[in-house]
Amino acid sequence: MERFLSIPWMEAYAAHCSADEALAAALKGFNTSIEYGWLDTDYPNVYLTLVNGLPHGVTETLPKKAQLRVHASRETWMRIHQRELSGKKAFLTQQLQFRGSMLTLLKYMDPFNATFRRMGDIPATFENATNE
């Protein structure tokens, strides 16, 4: 089992989301780099680049510039992963910190929320790989 938001985990998550035809259609035309990160751990951030709504790469190295940044505490990410908290509710209650275009967030809120629900479909650990 891979650590949540690690490169292998994010690659599996991206592939899982892109296999959903309705979700891929909802994100069609969406081109961006998204930084997923942590508020309270030393784990590296991970960057997902989308081209026309589909994954185009995952890296721990910042691509030119991340247009969207999504950060949360370990507890919040765990609650989202376990489907105890939706991405939308986490954002509205400021448990999920979002930086980027609010117009983009509002335009894609439903597909974003759907991708956060799918996080729970990919098994993950929230422990440091050296402490497992």
Side-chain angles (χ1 to χ4, degrees):
M1 188 174 343
E2 302 293 343
R3 182 181 45 80
F4 185 77
L5 297 186
S6 67
I7 296 276
W9 185 90
M10 184 59 79
E11 288 172 340
Y13 164 68
H16 179 62
C17 287
S18 65
D20 182 325
E21 292 179 16
L23 182 57
L27 291 171
K28 187 174 177 120
F30 187 49
N31 302 301
T32 195
S33 289
I34 304 171
E35 175 184 310
Y36 292 86
W38 304 88
L39 294 175
D40 58 354
T41 72
D42 293 331
Y43 297 145
N45 294 333
V46 64
Y47 302 89
L48 171 63
T49 300
L50 299 175
V51 175
N52 201 25
L54 295 173
H56 191 66
V58 176
T59 181
E60 286 181 350
T61 306
L62 177 66
K64 295 177 187 173
K65 181 181 178 189
Q67 287 89 24
L68 303 176
R69 296 181 70 220
V70 182
H71 288 209
S73 69
R74 180 176 178 267
E75 178 184 345
T76 297
W77 281 129
M78 285 176 66
R79 292 182 63 217
I80 289 170
H81 184 262
Q82 296 166 357
R83 296 190 179 112
E84 296 173 2
L85 179 66
S86 73
K88 184 176 183 178
K89 185 171 182 178
F91 170 73
L92 293 173
T93 58
Q94 298 181 355
Q95 295 174 68
L96 189 66
Q97 293 186 5
F98 175 86
R99 288 194 176 92
S101 166
M102 284 298 151
L103 290 175
T104 299
L105 176 65
L106 294 173
K107 180 178 179 179
Y108 292 103
M109 179 60 80
D110 288 338
F112 283 160
N113 200 43
T115 64
F116 284 116
R117 272 194 311 276
R118 282 167 180 74
M119 286 181 163
D121 295 341
I122 309 301
T125 182
F126 285 80
E127 300 301 320
N128 188 327
T130 59
N131 293 334
E132 289 180 2

